[in-house]
Amino acid sequence: MLLALTLVSSRGLTSPTAPVFASPLRCAGVRCSDPERKAVFSEERSESVKAGGIASLTGTMASAPVKASAVLATLPVKATALASWQISTCVFAVQLFLFGIVYRCTVRCDDNDALRQGAVGAAALCRALGLMQTNNAWTGDMWLQLGLSFGESALAFGVAAAALEFAWDKGYGRRLPGLGLPPDFEKRLRREEKRILREEKAFAKRLYD
């Protein structure tokens, strides 16, 4: 009886197969071995760097008169004041470069003016708060300093955002799509995955033959 049950149950089992070995392509992973994905990411990095450059150049030019007037207000101009102006300008240029990258990733292709204004306002407020020189007590001078720093920052970041919008509208750059990748990325990825699958099957066939 036990032998009969064993024979009947064995009919429902599949025949043993050869052990499955992971191919080098699967071990490497689609992300690492996908030239289409790498090409897309490389294009998006280039566009982000371009956006950062546009924002840094235009924002620095917009804030130059404000910084120059602050230096000229201390006539005769001292060497320390000139060095401080140069350092602050370079630091602000770096901040504007990063703002351009973040602005592109934030607004994307959304038709949302509130989002654009919020990105500019948030960046200006963060910079203004970072430039504050605190004392033991909150004074009116601190409010004045905060207002001036916020106004300068809002002007520079606003000009940088307007320059980016102009460049994207004229085709000098490309916005980041809503999904974060080009519209045809899924099609290109499926095509690449099929190619990798064919290579895996060919690898397994050569291995078992």
Side-chain angles (χ1 to χ4, degrees), residues 120-145:
V120 173
L125 182 60
C126 289
R127 180 174 183 269
L129 291 174
L131 291 176
M132 285 188 61
Q133 298 178 359
T134 58
N135 297 321
N136 295 330
W138 190 277
T139 61
D141 292 339
M142 296 178 64
W143 282 109
L144 179 60
Q145 179 186 1

Side-chain angles (χ1 to χ4, degrees), residues 14-35:
T14 57
S15 59
T17 57
V20 178
F21 297 95
S23 69
L25 293 173
R26 181 65 67 185
C27 293
V30 176
R31 181 178 294 275
C32 297
S33 60
D34 186 357

Side-chain angles (χ1 to χ4, degrees), residues 59-60 63-64 66-67 84-85 87-96 99 119-133 145-157:
T60 303
S63 64
V66 179
K67 291 185 175 297
S84 177
W85 173 77
I87 294 174
S88 63
T89 301
C90 293
V91 170
F92 197 20
V94 174
Q95 293 174 345
L96 285 163
F99 168 77
V120 173
L125 182 60
C126 289
R127 180 174 183 269
L129 291 174
L131 291 176
M132 285 188 61
Q133 298 178 359
Q145 179 186 1
L146 179 62
L148 292 175
S149 299
F150 180 80
E152 177 194 0
S153 302
L155 173 64
F157 289 126

Side-chain angles (χ1 to χ4, degrees), residues 64-140:
V66 179
K67 291 185 175 297
S69 62
V71 174
L72 294 176
T74 60
L75 290 177
V77 179
K78 298 180 180 180
T80 55
L82 185 60
S84 177
W85 173 77
Q86 293 174 348
I87 294 174
S88 63
T89 301
C90 293
V91 170
F92 197 20
V94 174
Q95 293 174 345
L96 285 163
F97 181 86
L98 297 177
F99 168 77
I101 297 176
V102 174
Y103 184 82
R104 180 174 185 263
C105 296
T106 301
V107 301
R108 298 177 182 258
C109 290
D110 299 337
D111 188 13
N112 189 342
D113 291 336
L115 182 62
R116 296 182 175 90
Q117 296 171 3
V120 173
L125 182 60
C126 289
R127 180 174 183 269
L129 291 174
L131 291 176
M132 285 188 61
Q133 298 178 359
T134 58
N135 297 321
N136 295 330
W138 190 277
T139 61

